[in-house]
Amino acid sequence: MIRVLDLAAFGEMATGLALVVVPSFVGQVLLGEVLTGPAIPTARVAGIALIALGLACWKNSGLLGMLIYSAAVTLYLAFFGLTDGSVGVLLWPAVAVHAVLSVLLWRSRNKSSTS
């Protein structure tokens, strides 16, 4: 039997995926405005967060959710920083913090699965 939490998790993951793939369209249909400029990367980070939240709820693992979020945000922000001309002063420190968190969460996940 499908739990309500599973339905909510899949709904959030679908919304998150839409925000990552077509953020302007989601802005248009949800808020009535096309997203532009800095709203695009912000919406994509929010989409990554929704995907991670949905996976965490679906798998009953906050650790997995945080690992997926941190690793995906590391990759996205690094990609954004390397391909976009507008980079804020905290972009690369945020990439570094999320990279370190990803490694620590991964190590923590491996330790908890062997115990």
Side-chain angles (χ1 to χ4, degrees):
M1 173 173 263
I2 296 177
R3 302 177 308 157
V4 174
L5 183 58
D6 291 337
L7 289 174
F10 285 116
E12 294 304 328
M13 287 188 287
T15 303
L17 183 61
L19 280 167
V20 170
V21 176
V22 285
S24 289
F25 175 74
V26 175
Q28 178 66 44
V29 298
L30 187 63
L31 305 172
E33 295 288 332
V34 174
L35 301 180
T36 60
I40 299 291
T42 303
R44 287 192 168 127
V45 170
I48 291 168
L50 287 176
I51 293 167
L53 174 66
L55 285 167
C57 290
W58 181 45
K59 293 292 191 177
N60 293 322
S61 173
L63 178 62
L64 177 64
M66 286 304 296
L67 173 59
I68 289 169
Y69 171 75
S70 198
V73 165
T74 300
L75 295 174
Y76 175 68
L77 291 178
F79 173 79
F80 182 77
L82 293 171
T83 60
D84 192 77
S86 58
V87 173
V89 66
L90 290 180
L91 178 72
W92 292 111
V95 170
V97 167
H98 280 287
V100 169
L101 283 173
S102 297
V103 169
L104 293 174
L105 288 164
W106 179 257
R107 290 179 63 197
S108 177
R109 186 172 187 272
N110 285 339
K111 286 180 184 175
S112 65
S113 66
T114 59
S115 300

